[in-house]
Amino acid sequence: MKFHEMNEREIVDVLKTDCKTGLSEKEVKNRQKQHGLNVLEEGEKPSALLIFFSQFKDFMVLVLLGATLISGLLGEVIDAIAIIAIVVINAFLGFFQERKAEKSLEALKELSAPQVQALRNGKWEKILSKEVVPGDILKFSSGDRIGADVRLIESKSLEIEESALTGESVPVQKFTEALRVPNPGIGDMENMAFMGTLVTRGNGMGIVVATGMKTAMGQIADLLQNAESMETPLQRRLEQLGKILITVALLLTVLVVGVGVLQGHDLYTMFLAGVSLAVAAIPEGLPAIVTVALSLGVQRMIKQKAIVRKLPAVETLGCASVICSDKTGTMTQNKMTVTHAWTGGSTWTLDGGGYSPEGSFYSRGEKVNPNSIKPLQQLLTFGMLCNHAEVLEKNGDYVVDGDPTEGALLVAAMKAGLTREGLLNQFQIVNEFPFDSQRKMMSIIIKDKNGRQFVVTKGAPDVLLGLSTSVLWNDRQQAMTKERKQEVQQAVEGLAADALRTIAIGFKPLSSATVILSEHEAEKDLTFIGLQGMIDPPRPEVKTAVKECRDAGIKTVMITGDHVITAKAIASQLGILTPGSKVIEGKTLSGMSVEELEDVVEDVSVFARVSPEHKLKIVKALQNRGHVVAMTGDGVNDAPAIKAADIGVAMGITGTDVAKEASSLVLLDDNFATIKSAIKEGRNIYENIRKFIRYLLASNVGEILVMLFAMLLALPLPLVPIQILWVNLVTDGLPAMALGLDQPEGDVMKRAPRHPKEGVFARGLGWKVVSRGFLIGLATLIAFMTIYYRGDDLAYAQTIAFATLVLAQLIHVFDCRSEKSIFSRNPFENKYLVWAVISSLVLVMGVIYYPPLQPIFHTVAIVPKDWMLVVGMAALPTFLLAGSFLASKTKKNMI
Ligand code: ATP
């Protein structure tokens, strides 16, 4: 018999499990050994050796190796060995950079690995989906992706979208009864939930019957090529730029070689020098360093509790101009405590804080016994029954497992001495229509000991008010007249004005024979019982974050399902709602087209009582106004807006799998302030990339120009090939990487967001590269000529040029840290850079002063007094331009 044909007991027998306690840890271990991990196998990854050898596939490196081999055969053995050694060291550097990039991308994947709720050792736990074994009991609710193939044993309005398997995008309703249909297709197995499919509504529970490659998904795994690009727009642009740079570098090299040969230099020497120059000047390491900088930035974001799921988002983050954020849990603490209760005509207050069930009820400051006030007791009872949450005591503290709003209702009832067990002895829950943010309510159908049935609905007061035909007033049922409606509304607004979140409770008696199948039938003709108002304090750090964003040219917009007055009160506290800014409600939004919204959207700071589908409209209107939008969300219905936003942000704690999968950024702590930190980091990463592009290119321009100038002036070669390669190795490697780790410049959050179409060389970067490069080349040449014309040995003049070129670059690297000038930042702030520069200096000094290396590098020890020349010339390019910057600034200030 197949699993879908069996009933619950038969499956439990076959799979040797227990629906009350789940599997034991020991049994899980055994089954993992037997069945393996619950993962779909992926294709082979390139081996480390392959990555290493791929470093040599670069055309110019191959030419260099070829040329070296020839020179080796011609007798220049030491030169040949040294060059090959440098090429190998370079390859190692590239290899480690690439490995690091790969590893951090993998770590990133691990972090966003899917999880499931499983029953193990009698307790529900969140476990990694890959650890699931056959026989595990799983539960899932709207927004979850199913972790394995599961035979359902519980379904509460459960609907699953199975398009990944069947291509059919309409969700399928799920039941638990055994199927008797012969050979049903996947789409017909209504009592099964399959790995990789999505719960779109309700909740359910089931027993795992297949994992990993044995699942329906595993059987078609080969077809699922997850080829999502992790390349960022900048990386793509740099790739194109790389091609241009290679061509330019090659042309210039050819020019150097050509001019050199015309000036009477030996063809073979010029060829080797040219190839070395090409290898040095081509910024082959750029893509790898960019990836490393991006992934290191991503690691830093993880430390700040933001996980980047799609690398391109790192760049887009720096361009964000509007953040649309949920209120509950993101801007507030999601720690709710009921402080007020209201039933027809009377208000009570509650004391106590957090989720501790200690506290009392008061009427006008007088302590009262809530159980002696019937409507209040009813309000609390129904609030506790129409509820999914649990309040648990953990290390002396009380926490909520489930929705905090529901937790608060539980705690309020507990303060009146009610317990859920006690209530479940009196009432049986026969049906449930789960909460969704579209309806903004949840209902249950309960049966009492006498067989009487009731619908109990809890939800947004304005919604319930529209569905209520009567109201409990001073414990008597009365028609919901216009006046009564107004009085209830006033009560709601009174609570909301104190920034309280409000929940209304209503009920309806049913005749015992009535069977209600739809929420639509249940949620009408209700009797309005009353309200509970709960505080949800703002997160203390949000106010500062909102201000920091404003300073950075980023507007914060609150989007909430909550009542407009509650939303306004909290938005004002947080500095989001400023004088002149507008509030729009969901119902107004429904009647507006995207174009109409576009006209006003710039002025709106709060959207209240919205449904998830409104979010898409808001994103579109803002994007049409040219904004780069970050949008948060957690539910299934938020996914389209998250996807459409430039930066989709999902909540790590409360977010559903669907929201997370649609997002490019996940907030581990669900905190608004984390978005701000991620934006800051995003801006910094981009600036750091600009810094090392500037550094590498200016250095390369300097290297080429010194050679070109020398050839044009009919001078001997200022650098021999191996020196060129050494300069490249020493300056391009560590210092460039260290720039990628640089701290943000002080004003990174004081500037307006970057325009998304802005080129890499914008804001004067291109000029900086050319001007610094030109001066570095010129200064090196002057140092060389000074010594050469003084009549010194050519090798000595070359050593001077070599030292000047390296030192000029190592000074210039500090200049690259700032958009302004070298003097605007403390040079010792970036420790990595200081160490990188020190090690580069050691490597240069080593080849200049260590006698065994001198013949290999064609160097001669520099005498102390000549260092004045070297240092002076090396410092000239940076200080000359810094001086001109300062002068222009002083002039501007004077004007
Ligand atoms: P945000 O969009 O900022 O997260 P929110 O949590 O208030 O705000 P929803 O979850 O869509 O947004 O809730 C909308 C309204 O539905 C709430 O204001 C509340 O009145 C009601 N509500 C929230 N949770 C429940 C629940 N578990 N049961 C019944 N009604 C609820």
Side-chain angles (χ1 to χ4, degrees):
M1 220 172 13
K2 305 238 170 65
F3 287 111
H4 60 266
E5 295 168 347
M6 298 181 196
N7 60 30
E8 183 179 328
R9 223 202 49 245
E10 287 165 331
I11 306 169
V12 166
D13 283 348
V14 173
L15 292 173
K16 300 200 175 49
T17 182
D18 184 325
C19 294
K20 292 268 176 303
T21 60
L23 297 174
S24 67
E25 219 37 64
K26 197 167 146 234
E27 187 55 30
V28 169
K29 290 251 153 65
N30 284 341
R31 291 189 191 200
Q32 265 169 3
K33 256 187 226 137
Q34 192 186 341
H35 298 276
L37 286 179
N38 178 32
V39 285
L40 300 180
E41 282 154 24
E42 283 179 33
E44 296 264 310
K45 291 225 176 73
S47 67
L49 212 62
L50 206 71
I51 297 181
F52 180 72
F53 280 114
S54 72
Q55 306 298 321
F56 296 99
K57 69 176 190 288
D58 192 60
F59 176 69
M60 281 323 290
V61 174
L62 288 178
V63 175
L64 179 65
L65 285 176
T68 319
L69 203 70
I70 296 169
S71 78
L73 292 176
L74 291 177
E76 304 275 350
V77 183
I78 295 180
D79 260 15
I81 293 174
I83 290 177
I84 288 172
I86 295 179
V87 170
V88 171
I89 296 174
N90 232 333
F92 266 111
L93 203 70
F95 168 75
F96 285 120
Q97 284 171 346
E98 226 170 272
R99 282 278 287 195
K100 178 135 191 66
E102 183 107 334
K103 281 242 170 74
S104 32
L105 288 181
E106 246 164 49
L108 228 136
K109 257 203 211 153
E110 279 281 302
L111 270 168
S112 47
Q115 292 186 322
V116 293
Q117 287 264 10
L119 184 63
R120 296 257 175 102
N121 293 318
K123 270 202 238 120
W124 284 104
E125 287 172 34
K126 239 185 171 157
I127 60 164
L128 284 177
S129 174
K130 67 176 183 195
E131 286 165 6
V132 168
V133 291
D136 259 329
I137 315 288
L138 303 186
K139 71 175 177 187
F140 25 79
S141 57
S142 161
D144 289 346
R145 206 173 267 286
I146 305 284
D149 282 2
V150 167
R151 167 68 168 84
L152 297 166
I153 53 169
E154 196 179 291
S155 160
K156 286 186 182 148
S157 311
L158 184 66
E159 285 182 19
I160 296 185
E161 194 254 289
E162 297 178 334
S163 63
L165 282 174
T166 60
E168 175 58 61
S169 60
V170 179
V172 184
Q173 278 198 18
K174 293 288 178 180
F175 305 99
T176 54
E177 289 76 26
L179 278 185
R180 299 282 172 237
V181 195
N183 298 327
I186 285 188
D188 301 322
M189 292 199 213
E190 291 162 348
N191 57 11
M192 296 281 296
F194 298 99
M195 181 192 223
T197 60
L198 271 178
V199 182
T200 52
R201 191 160 178 270
N203 43 56
M205 189 161 91
I207 307 173
V208 173
V209 297
T211 57
M213 295 305 279
K214 298 213 180 65
T215 59
M217 192 62 95
Q219 278 153 35
I220 58 163
D222 295 346
L223 305 175
L224 299 169
Q225 278 302 338
N226 195 358
E228 200 166 334
S229 159
M230 287 294 264
E231 223 174 41
T232 77
L234 179 69
Q235 281 176 307
R236 244 171 284 143
R237 247 181 284 150
L238 283 181
E239 233 165 64
Q240 286 162 4
L241 175 76
K243 284 189 191 128
I244 300 173
L245 289 177
I246 290 177
T247 321
V248 174
L250 284 180
L251 285 177
L252 285 173
T253 311
V254 170
L255 191 67
V256 171
V257 175
V259 176
V261 173
L262 283 181
Q263 301 278 22
H265 285 286
D266 162 48
L267 179 66
Y268 167 73
T269 317
M270 279 319 293
F271 176 68
L272 202 58
V275 178
S276 306
L277 192 57
V279 169
I282 292 169
E284 74 289 339
L286 204 57
I289 303 186
V290 171
T291 313
V292 171
L294 282 169
S295 53
L296 287 177
V298 166
Q299 306 279 332
R300 282 199 299 273
M301 285 196 198
I302 293 172
K303 283 205 190 107
Q304 294 167 8
K305 304 218 168 342
I307 293 186
V308 172
R309 292 191 63 252
K310 295 171 189 157
L311 214 45
V314 178
E315 268 169 52
T316 330
L317 269 169
C319 307
S321 59
V322 178
I323 308 173
C324 296
S325 167
D326 286 337
K327 170 182 72 71
T328 312
T330 314
M331 294 185 165
T332 64
Q333 298 179 12
N334 222 359
K335 276 201 190 117
M336 313 227 189
T337 315
V338 174
T339 58
H340 289 71
W342 178 94
T343 74
S346 319
T347 305
W348 291 274
T349 51
L350 284 80
D351 63 3
Y355 294 113
S356 156
E358 317 270 305
S360 311
F361 287 73
Y362 300 85
S363 168
R364 294 197 189 89
E366 293 284 315
K367 203 168 183 173
V368 293
N369 175 7
N371 295 312
S372 64
I373 307 160
K374 211 170 143 223
L376 177 59
Q377 195 205 27
Q378 210 167 8
L379 182 79
L380 298 169
T381 302
F382 286 161
M384 184 170 241
L385 274 173
C386 190
N387 204 310
H388 259 295
E390 242 181 290
V391 175
L392 310 166
E393 201 189 333
K394 258 191 199 160
N395 313 325
D397 202 14
Y398 290 90
V399 290
V400 164
D401 182 15
D403 181 352
T405 306
E406 298 190 346
L409 298 178
L410 284 185
V411 171
M414 284 156 87
K415 285 178 181 166
L418 300 173
T419 63
R420 208 169 140 83
E421 293 71 39
L423 295 183
L424 286 177
N425 278 335
Q426 296 174 45
F427 300 99
Q428 183 200 349
I429 298 174
V430 289
N431 203 351
E432 179 185 321
F433 302 107
F435 174 77
D436 71 59
S437 28
Q438 194 82 28
R439 282 170 30 250
K440 299 191 171 41
M441 50 189 173
M442 157 185 183
S443 299
I444 51 170
I445 295 176
I446 53 173
K447 201 183 248 177
D448 70 7
K449 286 256 159 68
N450 303 322
R452 287 184 304 180
Q453 289 197 106
F454 301 90
V455 173
V456 175
T457 302
K458 79 170 199 301
D462 30 337
V463 179
L464 247 75
L465 207 50
L467 302 168
S468 300
T469 46
S470 56
V471 57
L472 272 193
W473 206 270
N474 294 327
D475 200 21
R476 289 231 304 278
Q477 189 163 347
Q478 297 183 357
M480 182 68 94
T481 58
K482 221 167 150 195
E483 291 72 42
R484 286 285 179 246
K485 212 172 217 173
Q486 259 173 11
E487 282 171 292
V488 176
Q489 245 152 11
Q490 269 168 15
V492 174
E493 285 169 15
L495 296 178
D498 288 339
L500 297 184
R501 181 175 169 82
T502 46
I503 292 282
I505 290 179
F507 83 113
K508 168 169 73 177
L510 295 172
S511 71
S512 52
T514 317
V515 179
I516 286 196
L517 291 177
S518 80
E519 59 220 16
H520 188 67
E521 272 177 86
E523 294 163 346
K524 64 178 184 193
D525 302 329
L526 300 171
T527 299
F528 197 95
I529 303 178
L531 302 166
Q532 299 199 37
M534 50 191 83
I535 49 162
D536 178 14
R539 290 177 183 265
E541 61 279 28
V542 172
K543 193 169 176 180
T544 334
V546 168
K547 181 171 179 305
E548 267 183 68
C549 285
R550 181 167 305 127
D551 291 345
I554 306 161
K555 181 178 167 187
T556 307
V557 176
M558 176 189 278
I559 301 190
T560 176
D562 217 338
H563 195 281
V564 61
I565 300 181
T566 315
K568 266 189 192 172
I570 295 189
S572 305
Q573 285 175 16
L574 293 174
I576 294 170
L577 192 65
T578 47
S581 59
K582 291 202 179 82
V583 179
I584 289 191
E585 273 191 83
K587 52 182 188 251
T588 319
L589 213 49
S590 297
M592 289 172 110
S593 65
V594 174
E595 291 72 30
E596 282 165 335
L597 181 59
E598 247 178 86
D599 292 338
V600 292
V601 77
E602 297 276 3
D603 300 326
V604 185
S605 296
V606 176
F607 290 92
R609 271 290 184 253
V610 293
S611 304
E613 84 266 3
H614 290 133
K615 288 186 168 179
L616 190 59
K617 217 182 223 178
I618 300 170
V619 168
K620 290 227 166 102
L622 283 166
Q623 284 175 332
N624 291 351
R625 296 290 305 223
H627 283 291
V628 175
V629 187
M631 168 65 87
T632 70
D634 46 17
V636 196
N637 303 334
D638 289 333
I642 295 182
K643 229 181 207 148
D646 302 278
I647 305 150
V649 186
M651 302 299 140
I653 305 170
T654 55
T656 55
D657 293 349
V658 185
K660 286 182 194 161
E661 284 165 22
S663 71
S664 37
L665 187 75
V666 176
L667 309 179
L668 285 179
D669 56 358
D670 291 12
N671 189 345
F672 175 84
T674 305
I675 309 179
K676 182 225 60 189
S677 312
I679 288 183
K680 186 171 176 187
E681 199 54 70
R683 286 186 175 195
N684 186 32
I685 294 173
Y686 189 84
E687 289 310 318
N688 282 355
I689 292 176
R690 270 170 56 96
K691 287 176 198 169
F692 62 68
I693 289 180
R694 171 180 163 187
Y695 168 68
L696 286 179
L697 295 190
S699 302
N700 292 354
V701 168
E703 285 159 24
I704 293 185
L705 287 186
V706 66
M707 297 292 278
L708 185 61
F709 291 156
M711 292 305 98
L712 288 173
L713 293 174
L715 289 166
L717 281 178
L719 297 161
V720 296
I722 189 150
Q723 290 169 347
I724 300 175
L725 290 172
W726 197 243
V727 172
N728 181 45
L729 182 78
V730 168
T731 57
D732 277 14
L734 292 178
M737 295 250 295
L739 272 183
L741 289 168
D742 208 21
Q743 296 85 348
E745 216 173 346
D747 61 354
V748 72
M749 285 301 266
K750 297 253 167 3
R751 298 178 210 152
R754 189 179 84 242
H755 193 280
K757 294 236 162 67
E758 180 188 291
V760 191
F761 294 112
R763 288 180 271 140
L765 197 85
W767 164 245
K768 283 186 178 134
V769 166
V770 176
S771 57
R772 268 60 165 182
F774 177 83
L775 286 178
I776 290 174
L778 194 65
T780 309
L781 188 77
I782 294 173
F784 173 71
M785 283 166 72
T786 312
I787 301 297
Y788 181 63
Y789 284 122
R790 199 171 74 183
D792 275 287
D793 207 15
L794 175 61
Y796 189 65
Q798 283 170 331
T799 311
I800 292 281
F802 170 64
T804 311
L805 184 60
V806 172
L807 208 61
Q809 296 186 11
L810 294 182
I811 294 173
H812 173 235
V813 74
F814 289 99
D815 189 31
C816 294
R817 294 183 61 225
S818 170
E819 293 274 320
K820 295 178 210 118
S821 101
I822 192 168
F823 301 119
S824 63
R825 303 196 69 176
N826 171 3
F828 302 107
E829 193 184 9
N830 181 347
K831 302 243 158 28
Y832 302 106
L833 187 60
V834 173
W835 282 114
V837 167
I838 292 177
S839 44
S840 296
L841 279 175
V842 169
L843 287 173
V844 171
M845 292 302 168
V847 300
I848 295 178
Y849 287 107
Y850 185 50
L853 290 177
Q854 287 171 339
I856 300 175
F857 285 88
H858 304 264
T859 49
V860 180
I862 298 176
V863 296
K865 78 170 177 11
D866 285 337
W867 274 107
M868 299 244 292
L869 174 73
V870 172
V871 175
M873 279 300 134
L876 195 69
T878 301
F879 288 93
L880 200 65
L881 289 162
S884 74
F885 172 84
L886 285 182
S888 73
K889 214 170 130 189
T890 328
K891 211 162 133 198
K892 239 188 240 161
N893 286 346
M894 276 160 62
I895 295 166

